[in-house]
Amino acid sequence: LGDHGKLYVPEELVSVYREEVVPLADVVTPNQFEVELLTGISIRSMEDGIRACKALHNLGPDLVIITSMSLDTSTSTNSCCNPDANSKNAEEQENSNGEILTMLASERIRDEITGEIKHHNMWSIETPQVQGKYTGTGDVCAALFLAWTAKIDDLKE
């Protein structure tokens, strides 16, 4: 749909994605801008990201991966996972602009017989934002995830 506040598609297609495309998907991999457009939830904290994942689940997909979020670290608590996520090595500190990017994944687990939702699994990954302008990183992330899902049976692996 877009990134960094700019749509790559006509604005009229946002509602088509929300109402027709996303409900058909098993997996969605939006970035922060896209998930905000699709859910109407402004993401400033991990808690907002979790709410947005749940909102996307409610549209249909059982697996939601927000490929990148820039969170307000002064107010956010990483209530999801990763207590050691803020450790950086010297090279990361040198190339980073001080900003942290967060990836958030949420998997809705269903009962195999009834199809009813049993519970949710959530994971997050934080990494220093590397200085520069990069396009297509969300696409690479989605492709790598797809390749791994073909290789493993359980996402916990």
Side-chain angles (χ1 to χ4, degrees):
L1 288 174
D3 204 359
H4 302 288
K6 180 182 175 193
L7 284 168
Y8 301 148
V9 299
E11 189 172 351
E12 301 80 41
L13 289 183
V14 174
S15 63
V16 173
Y17 274 86
R18 182 185 315 107
E19 296 163 15
E20 297 179 37
V21 177
V22 172
L24 297 174
D26 294 321
V27 179
V28 291
T29 59
N31 59 42
Q32 181 173 353
F33 175 68
E34 293 166 329
V35 79
E36 288 176 344
L37 284 174
L38 293 169
T39 66
I41 296 171
S42 179
I43 300 176
R44 300 292 171 258
S45 66
M46 180 61 76
E47 293 76 16
D48 294 337
I50 291 169
R51 282 189 316 116
C53 281
K54 289 179 180 178
L56 283 175
H57 282 307
N58 289 337
L59 292 176
D62 283 335
L63 184 59
V64 174
I65 302 173
I66 303 176
T67 58
S68 60
M69 302 184 298
S70 294
L71 305 178
D72 178 358
T73 55
S74 66
T75 62
S76 180
T77 59
N78 190 342
S79 63
C80 178
C81 336
N82 298 349
D84 299 323
N86 290 324
S87 63
K88 296 182 189 179
N89 66 35
E91 184 179 344
E92 287 173 331
Q93 290 176 353
E94 183 178 312
N95 293 324
S96 172
N97 61 7
E99 296 291 319
I100 300 293
L101 287 180
T102 303
M103 177 188 294
L104 178 61
S106 177
E107 179 185 28
R108 187 166 60 178
I109 306 298
R110 294 179 178 272
D111 183 277
E112 291 182 23
I113 297 170
T114 66
E116 292 183 22
I117 299 165
K118 294 186 339 186
H119 65 276
H120 287 83
N121 291 327
M122 298 193 97
W123 307 268
S124 69
I125 300 171
E126 293 181 342
T127 185
Q129 183 174 355
V130 177
Q131 296 176 15
K133 179 83 171 145
Y134 308 97
T135 57
T137 54
D139 298 327
V140 170
C141 178
L144 289 169
F145 177 77
L146 177 62
W148 273 103
T149 60
K151 185 175 179 172
I152 62 173
D153 292 328
D154 185 353
L155 293 179
K156 291 179 191 174
E157 292 179 25

